[in-house]
Each structure stands twice: as structure tokens, then as C-alpha cells.
Amino acid sequence: MQVSIPGPAESRFPGFTIPGNIASDSVDGETIAINLETGTYFALGLNASLIWNCIRDSKSDAEVGEIDESEIESILRTFVAEGLMLGPVVGEVSEGVLTKFSDMEDLLLADPIHEVESTGWPSLRSPGEGPR
Amino acid sequence: LTATSFSVFDTFERIRSLSRPATESSSIVVRVAGCETLVTGDLDIVDEIADASFDSAPVSTRTRSVDEGFVEVRRQSVDAVVWPFDSDRIRSGPITLERHRELELLIAVNEESGEAYVWYGHEIPSWERSAPLRRVLHLLLAKRGVHLLHAGVLSHDGYGILIPGKGGSGKSTTVAYGCQSGWQTIGDDFIALSAVSHDSPLPEPIVSAMYRTFRLAAASPAFSLLNVEAPNPTNLNPDAKVVGYLDKLFPGSLVPAVKLCASVVPKVCAGQRHSTFTPASRALALQALAPSSLLLAGGRVDSFRPMTALVSSIPAFTMAIGSDVGSLLGVLSEILDAVRGNGHTRSAT
């Protein structure tokens, strides 16, 4: 099928970014995304995976061009609604985009490692705040 | 990694010997050396972190003694521990600091030097006893291309099956039935994947033992296989699991490493009598393996890609464990037959 590849890779979904607390990878075209802060994880459908990988890897993907624009919008809104992405749309979950799993939430120490580089150690607590 | 795994066992034996009830005024600092040599570096990090972590207890009240690599720090009161940072896990360069939320555990790891310091504020927590220094090893080993996986493994005639899944999914039950019937294992809960490259699929999907321990819920039907006394409720972990040594419970079952040929995601299905299997997508195997491995290991994402490479290398199945639990062995044998005959698409029986 002849498809048109829209614009430069980074402009295909302008403004959409994956926050640092989301880890993801794909196998056989299906993507697993994990929110390391909440423990919630997601199995993305095939089209959702195509868009996800396009944004994550900052590359153009011809196959995304085959996805209906309204479906693309639903997928992006779902990503934002579930906290998987930051982006210039109002979040709203659409059915069928992904499957959400919450069964790990009570199993983790719900705080990812915070990278500290030039700024030194993370800020100290205010006196009297005490441990969490 | 083979030799490494067993030297790690030796280290753990020594650490476990420290698992005595903590006295009110002491905590234990264990110095580990990754998997190679015991590093005898300076203790500046300990001092720095301890100074930041102890609120009211003056530094001068601590005394320190070094004995064969173990450092013991004494202080006045464990209640004085305060984590001064606004995050439970922080990382700067090669150093990671981590605090367990109940203040039972403080960890400082220097990936560059291979040193780690662990404070047990109270008695060593049960999960730390069954998989000692899991988080420390995750950090130190990942740098060497070795990744901690949350999965069990069974092997027969040199063909290994990866059994990923969260707690309660049937990993340990499956491993217990397999070992009881002469299958071999490298562990029921945490294992190591050596993947220095991220080639996908992996040329050699080999996984290695991390621990000798075996953890099983007292309520599991496999408990009767263990030939141990019924657990005393006072000896049970909070999660009602008993801990033993695989090589003592099932002599000859524990091997250092296994080459995998399939992944099988278990699920307890009490509604059916016989166990069954169904071919599954590799994404399902990744879904069973990656979240619990990453979350339990501490949130470092370096291990995600190697896990994907691993599940990409082998066919995936789901296994429904029926009320006739022993029937799962027949299912595993059928899966091995299917894989060995390249019949990956075989239907459920």
C-alpha cells in the first residue's frame, strides 16, 4: 500500500513525550509500558504500539500512516489520560487502545531511583517534616 | 557466571549467619564486593551517608570494627534513623542510595568500586532473608551485563523452561513439583540473565542461579512435597511463605545454569481438574516477566531490553494449573516435546 510519510520524524507527533518514570519495550509488535512510580503496567495494542514506538524512538514510521486519524487521536488521548505520555491534548481513555494492569501496585517500593547529576543530592527535607 | 553464582551463595551464607535477632542498639553493615573480589576501599561513603542518616545520634557514639570484610556500626537507637532526602531512592553518578519505606533498610551502592553498604535498622526483613541483597546485586551485576529476573526455571534433559510471573502465580509450586520428579532448577523466584549484548533474539538464552533459597506458601498444594514439618505460625513470614534450601529440599535439583527453550506463564485455575497449556504471544511472556522484575529489582530500566531479547528468543506458552496440580508435569513435558519438535503452534490439550 502506498503511504505518505508525514514530515520530519520529530514533528509527526509534536509535543508528545514519554516521561522518565515510564519504561517500555516491544516484542513482535506489541509494547509493554510500565509506570515505575505507581507499578501500573500496560499492554499496548498493535496500532498503539506503532504510535508509541514512533514517539519513543523519535523516528518516522510509515505504518503509522495507515492508521485512521481519529484512532490516532484516541490513542494519543489515552496515552495522556493514563499518564504514559505528556502531550498537547486532553486526556481521555478510549477502549481497545491498551490493557491496564494494577496487580503490581502493592508489590513495589513505589519510588523510582531519581537521577542526580549536576545539581548534587536531592533536596533535604524541611526540618520537622520527618520521614515519609 | 557459573562460578560466580556459587561464590555468591557462599557470601549469602555468611550474611545469613548474621540474621540473628538484632539487639536494640545495633545495626549491621554488610560490605559486599559485587561478584569478583572483596574491595577494601575507604569508608568515606559510609561516614557521609551515616552522618546524613542519623538524626539525633551523634557520630561520636558510633564505634566501628572491621572483621573479614564485614563492618559493624553501633549506635544508640534505631529510632533515630531519619532519611533526610525527598526521595526514597536517589542516584548520583555511580552511587545509589535507597531507603525502605518502613525504615528497615538503608542501602548505599557504589557501582564504580563494587562496594555496597546495607543498614538493617531492625531485624533483617523476611524478604531480605529469602533473597539477600537482591537490590544491591541488581545494581552491581547490571553493570556487568547480568540482570536479575523475577522468574522460576525448570529444566529436563538440558532443556530449560522459564516460568515468569508475579507472586502467587504458581512459580514455586511448579518448581516444587518438577524438582520432586527429578527435574532440575536454578531457582523459583529470582534468577540471573547474562546478556552482555542486546542482540535480539539472544544467541544463547542462558540463565543462572542467584540463590539457593526456595520460598513456598504454606497453603500451596506443593507444601506436602517438602517433607518438612507443618510450619509453626510463629515461624512464618508475613506473607505466609516458608523458606528453605533447594538443594536440601530436593537433593540434586539445583544446577548453576540452564539454557532456555520456552517460557511458560503459569496461572492457578482451580476450576479445572487437569492442567493445560496454550501457545501465547511473546508479549504475554514479557508482560509476565518485565513489570515484576523491574519493580522488585528497584526501578532500574537497564534490564528491560535484555528481558525483551530473552523472551524474543524462545516460544511462549501459558499454563493453566488445574486442581490436579501434579498434572502440570505432563503439561511441561508436552511443551518440551512441542518445542523440541519445532511444533511451537501445537494446540492446547
Side-chain angles (χ1 to χ4, degrees):
Chain A
M1 179 181 294
Q2 185 69 33
V3 294
S4 60
I5 302 175
E10 51 275 16
S11 66
R12 179 63 178 89
F13 301 104
F16 286 92
T17 56
I18 300 172
N21 62 314
I22 305 296
S24 69
D25 208 354
S26 308
V27 59
D28 294 342
E30 297 180 68
T31 299
I32 307 297
I34 307 170
N35 186 327
L36 297 171
E37 285 187 353
T38 66
T40 307
Y41 59 101
F42 304 83
L44 275 54
L46 289 175
N47 284 351
S49 292
L50 284 173
I51 295 172
W52 180 272
N53 292 338
C54 185
I55 294 172
R56 179 188 60 194
D57 301 334
S58 297
K59 65 180 182 183
S60 178
D61 191 326
E63 294 176 73
V64 172
E66 301 178 15
I67 305 174
D68 188 77
E69 278 300 324
S70 65
E71 185 180 355
I72 291 176
E73 185 176 334
S74 297
I75 289 170
L76 292 172
R77 287 181 185 277
T78 301
F79 285 163
V80 172
E82 294 291 9
L84 290 170
M85 272 191 194
L86 305 172
V89 298
V90 176
E92 181 183 15
V93 175
S94 296
E95 286 192 12
V97 173
L98 47 76
T99 308
K100 181 178 181 178
F101 300 90
S102 303
D103 54 350
M104 290 293 298
E105 288 180 357
D106 57 345
L107 293 183
L108 77 155
L109 310 175
D111 191 9
I113 293 175
H114 293 256
E115 298 282 348
V116 182
E117 298 301 339
S118 58
T119 56
W121 297 108
S123 59
L124 297 178
R125 295 181 187 288
S126 304
E129 186 181 352
R132 283 189 294 190
Chain B
L1 185 60
T2 300
T4 294
S5 298
F6 283 99
S7 65
V8 165
F9 293 163
D10 293 337
T11 303
F12 290 158
E13 281 292 346
R14 301 177 65 196
I15 293 166
R16 195 172 287 107
S17 72
L18 295 173
S19 304
R20 60 184 187 268
T23 61
E24 185 180 347
S25 62
S26 72
S27 65
I28 301 167
V29 177
V30 182
R31 190 142 55 105
V32 191
C35 58
E36 289 170 357
T37 58
L38 192 65
V39 177
T40 54
D42 62 62
L43 296 175
D44 288 349
I45 297 172
V46 173
D47 288 338
E48 180 183 335
I49 306 309
D51 291 349
S53 303
F54 292 80
D55 186 23
S56 58
V59 174
S60 59
T61 65
R62 290 183 292 120
T63 59
R64 206 166 59 195
S65 62
V66 180
D67 178 21
E68 294 181 345
F70 291 97
V71 182
E72 189 163 356
V73 176
R74 295 185 180 276
R75 51 189 167 72
Q76 286 186 320
S77 167
V78 293
D79 296 330
V81 176
V82 169
W83 183 254
F85 306 112
D86 59 1
S87 168
D88 284 343
R89 299 178 200 174
I90 54 180
R91 175 177 169 83
S92 180
I95 298 177
T96 299
L97 300 178
E98 184 172 330
R99 180 199 70 162
H100 189 268
R101 282 189 176 266
E102 281 77 39
L103 294 176
E104 290 176 328
L105 188 59
L106 299 177
I107 299 172
V109 178
N110 186 333
E111 293 177 37
E112 203 165 81
S113 69
E115 289 176 298
Y117 302 90
V118 181
W119 286 260
Y120 296 104
H122 301 283
E123 191 174 354
I124 295 177
S126 60
W127 48 269
E128 184 73 353
R129 290 176 188 232
S130 59
L133 303 177
R134 181 177 77 212
R135 304 167 79 75
V136 170
L137 287 168
H138 169 66
L139 291 171
L140 292 181
L141 293 179
K143 187 178 173 65
R144 296 168 167 82
V146 179
H147 305 277
L148 206 56
L149 306 184
H150 186 217
V153 164
L154 276 175
S155 173
H156 196 266
D157 289 341
Y159 289 84
I161 293 176
L162 181 76
I163 309 165
K166 60 174 184 167
S169 60
K171 294 191 302 295
S172 298
T173 296
T174 302
V175 169
Y177 274 91
C179 291
Q180 178 69 16
S181 297
W183 291 52
Q184 295 179 310
T185 188
I186 58 168
D188 69 313
D189 210 18
F190 288 98
I191 59 173
L193 166 67
S194 181
V196 289
S197 74
H198 289 178
D199 292 344
S200 181
L202 293 176
E204 289 276 297
I206 294 175
V207 284
S208 303
M210 285 288 294
Y211 299 105
R212 295 169 54 213
T213 46
F214 176 77
R215 230 162 52 102
L216 187 69
S220 166
F223 189 78
S224 60
L225 303 177
L226 299 185
N227 195 27
V228 298
E229 293 181 9
N232 183 331
T234 59
N235 293 333
L236 282 180
N237 293 334
D239 56 0
K241 291 192 174 185
V242 290
V243 179
Y245 292 108
L246 275 165
D247 49 339
K248 291 180 179 174
L249 293 168
F250 307 107
S253 68
L254 184 61
V255 294
V258 161
K259 183 175 180 179
L260 297 173
C261 65
S263 60
V264 175
V265 180
K267 183 181 181 182
V268 176
C269 294
Q272 65 184 66
R273 177 169 169 75
H274 292 290
S275 302
T276 55
F277 75 97
T278 310
S281 71
R282 290 174 169 87
L284 186 75
L286 184 63
Q287 179 185 315
L289 178 66
S292 63
S293 294
L294 288 180
L295 295 170
L296 289 171
R300 285 292 299 275
V301 298
D302 317 41
S303 302
F304 207 149
R305 184 54 57 87
M307 281 189 267
T308 305
L310 176 65
V311 300
S312 300
S313 310
I314 49 181
F317 302 84
T318 57
M319 176 173 68
I321 303 175
S323 58
D324 177 9
V325 183
S327 64
L328 67 82
L329 277 177
V331 164
L332 294 178
S333 295
E334 287 186 59
I335 289 174
L336 283 189
D337 289 344
V339 172
R340 291 159 79 172
N342 294 322
H344 299 169
T345 57
R346 183 171 174 165
S347 301
T349 56

